Amino acid sequence: MSSHRHRKVSSMTTSPSSDKKAEYVTSAPKESLRRKRSCTDIPCCVLFLIFIACFVILSIFAFIEGDPKQLLHPTDSDGELCGSGQHADRPYLYFFDWTKCIKAFGISSDVLKGRPFVCPTKQVCVKNCPTKTSHFKFDNYHANRVCTYDVRDDDSNDEELVKSGECATYIIASKPLFGRCIPEHLQNLASSLIEAPDIDGTNKTIYDTSGLPLNGSKLDQGVKYLVDILNLKEIASFLVEDFTTSWQYILIALGFAAIISFIWIVLMRWFAKPLVWLAIILFIVLLAIVSGLSFFEFIQLRAKNDNQILSEFKFVADANCYRSLPITWLVIAIISTLFLIISVLILLALFKRLRIALAVLQEASTAVGYNFFSLFWPFIPFLLQIGIFAYWAVVAVYLATAGKPIYRVSFNETLDNSSNTHVGEICDRSTWNSSGGMNGDCVFWEYGYDPQIDLDSVLNGTGRHFKSFISFVNQNQWLPQLYSAFMLFWLTAFIVGFGELVLAGVYARYYWDRERFGVPCSSLFSSLIRALVFHMGTIAFGSLIIAIVKVIRTILEYFEKKVKDKTGKVAKCLFCCCRCCLLCLEKFLKFLNRNAYIITAIYGSGFLTSARRAFGIIISNPLRLLVIDKTCDFLIFLGKLCITAGIGILAFFFFTHRIAQAANYVPELHYYFIPLLLIILGTYIVASCFFSVYSMAVDTLFICALEDMKMKDDNPNHHVMMSKGLRRVFRVKKDK
């Protein structure tokens, strides 16, 4: 009793400032977790809400002015959609003269304005694609002709209608391909002249609008580029069809992955070390098996191909073709072998640190076991990110299709043009007159707002409430897309930071105030309330920095792509160095933000104060953080990889009919790798959601332990709060 009084008196005789500092350092974490907090970084929170309001305004503008039907339906020369509106009964688009298309005349890129395909010929919507080839001088032309909408069926002067541009000079037998009438049998025409039977059965030559004989190569030159684009759309439709056929199996696989991940996490509560060693062994064995089987398959296929590794290689959409190529298995074998060697070397280098990392994981397992409900928390931020991305994607589609029809001049380049009008210039279709030396036409080009357009003549009273906004967008068309991308980066980074701060609050309370931890769900709920009420500004501050760096990276990559063909090796090297530096900066800022959120969860301080304190911890303990912490991350990654590989292998055997008992349940697919890739990606995401709880628990306990040790160094009377397991890890003696 007397010794206790003596210690108390001795402490009171010290200076007030040192006593106050010692008292704060000793009890700050526990008191900060218990006391009522105040809002942090309020200006950043207000700025974040303002930017969200502006994004909502931009979204409203996009929803009013945009029309996603432009991406689904082809557009005629008048800027009207085929298969929609007044042309609902005309779903197909017919091109009057394919020889005028972009591949035939090679219009310069500055005229294209970034458009992937432009065909400066008259285009009309038709009910059905023509099935017969004909010419306006043929007797059977009238029954098969394609004309503009104002031409009546009883207008029989075909030659005059063709000269006036109201009817197509020639008709080509076509087939529909994604709403466009594409000429048939091009591969059989080669360079021969195109002939077609007339009404009397005799074959006659087809002539184009310039009066020259039409041959297959010239027609193919005009069609090929569009066909290539539409073939990609056809492949995309097959992919969508495979997804709609196999989505039930994908959900079953993801549900199975969630169950396996949950069981793995539950078992780690009691068997953390055995499971981690099991993951390490399975990972090494799996890589060894993949390497051995790939080399075996390569040797077998090479023997069948007369010891030739690569006889002929070309890109095809069918992934099954690559399975029969020896080079495919050789590449897989080399990559898997390299991964095997690197993994073994990493494990040998970190073997001494594995025991420490396993002890930290064991302590993290105990912390997760104290609040089992935190296992399901990462799914909430994940679903929020999906919702944000879906909303952004919809806004981006509407924004990309916002605008009014833009018309540009197209010429027949085989004739002289005596006017001062140039190909690709903006033109007004309502006042266009092809007389006066102009031999072209004013055709639809795209939807949008061009600086050359007179807005008063285009808007026609629609969207007048947005006229000032549209005028601003008209002069700065890159700003809406850039702002939309910036908000995507900011919102996703905000959701990530929000999820980290909530989990950090749970595990910080477990470390510092375990006796008042309470029931599991109450700790998670109280941490959630603290983050929502007091620390939204701090999360907005940290995520804003990440978003700015990402936008700078995006702009740099955009400019690099634009000038890629105009720069030398030095400029390309500088671009590469800048991208690498920005990527490293982004990774470091994410690491710093994560630790800053942990400090905020402990002390309730603002972002700058928390980041400064977290940076001090990182600088003071670089080896501990980079070696032990990253070793734990590597071990957690192995667990995710084992679950992903296991589910992926089972899915591969299922979709390739390798499981005899389930062969009758396998769906018919064009490309089985689509559901397989989705299952692998989805399994990794599901496993990451579960294991992210462990990762956050490890980081929080690590920062708390380092703070605990620092407080012990500053005040010898401080009672260390770390558990026995962490004491052994950091070699901290038990308090006397």
Side-chain angles (χ1 to χ4, degrees), residues 584-639:
C584 293
L585 177 62
E586 181 183 339
K587 295 293 183 182
F588 174 75
L589 289 175
K590 287 181 178 179
F591 178 70
L592 181 63
N593 279 10
R594 187 181 179 93
N595 291 287
Y597 294 146
I598 295 173
I599 298 296
T600 298
I602 298 173
Y603 295 103
S605 53
F607 179 78
L608 291 178
T609 304
S610 300
R612 184 173 64 249
R613 191 159 189 163
F615 186 74
I617 295 174
I618 295 171
I619 294 298
S620 303
N621 304 272
L623 292 178
R624 283 175 173 171
L625 277 171
L626 294 178
V627 177
I628 300 177
D629 187 55
K630 293 308 171 184
T631 303
C632 292
D633 290 342
F634 176 69
L635 296 178
I636 292 173
F637 171 73
L638 289 183

Side-chain angles (χ1 to χ4, degrees), residues 163-304:
K163 288 183 179 179
S164 64
E166 295 179 87
C167 291
T169 303
Y170 61 90
I171 306 298
I172 295 292
S174 307
K175 60 180 179 180
L177 181 61
F178 281 91
R180 280 85 173 173
C181 295
I182 306 299
E184 291 182 317
H185 311 303
L186 283 177
Q187 64 274 18
N188 298 328
L189 298 175
S191 58
S192 60
L193 296 178
I194 297 179
E195 295 182 343
D198 200 352
I199 195 171
D200 57 359
T202 58
N203 288 333
K204 295 182 180 180
T205 303
I206 302 296
Y207 295 87
D208 60 19
T209 55
S210 304
L212 300 175
L214 187 65
N215 60 63
S217 60
K218 190 175 182 181
L219 187 63
D220 179 60
Q221 192 179 10
V223 178
K224 185 177 183 299
Y225 189 62
L226 178 60
V227 171
D228 290 341
I229 295 176
L230 295 179
N231 280 336
L232 293 178
K233 288 189 174 182
E234 185 177 18
I235 294 174
S237 70
F238 287 155
L239 301 183
V240 173
E241 183 180 346
D242 287 343
F243 174 75
T244 56
T245 304
S246 60
W247 67 269
Q248 301 97 328
Y249 301 92
I250 296 174
L251 289 181
I252 293 173
L254 295 183
F256 189 57
I259 294 173
I260 296 297
S261 300
F262 182 76
I263 294 174
W264 188 290
I265 294 295
V266 172
L267 291 177
M268 281 192 71
R269 173 66 176 85
W270 297 280
F271 309 105
K273 292 182 180 180
L275 281 176
V276 171
W277 281 114
L278 177 64
I280 294 173
I281 294 172
L282 287 177
F283 179 70
I284 298 298
V285 171
L286 180 65
L287 284 178
I289 292 174
V290 171
S291 301
L293 290 177
S294 299
F295 275 117
F296 177 77
E297 194 74 20
F298 163 70
I299 294 172
Q300 296 292 323
L301 291 175
R302 187 181 65 173
K304 292 180 180 179

Side-chain angles (χ1 to χ4, degrees), residues 38-48 534-542 596-597 600 604-611:
S38 58
C39 296
T40 56
D41 299 304
I42 297 177
C44 275
C45 184
V46 174
L47 182 66
F48 183 59
F534 302 112
H535 302 309
M536 296 286 282
T538 300
I539 304 172
F541 199 155
Y597 294 146
T600 298
S605 53
F607 179 78
L608 291 178
T609 304
S610 300

Side-chain angles (χ1 to χ4, degrees), residues 657-676:
H657 299 82
R658 305 285 180 93
I659 303 176
Q661 295 80 359
N664 296 329
Y665 301 97
V666 180
E668 293 295 330
L669 303 172
H670 297 94
Y671 312 112
Y672 72 86
F673 66 87
I674 293 303
L676 181 62

Side-chain angles (χ1 to χ4, degrees), residues 1-10:
M1 186 73 177
S2 60
S3 61
H4 174 72
R5 290 178 181 174
H6 177 71
R7 283 196 301 269
K8 184 175 182 181
V9 172
S10 299

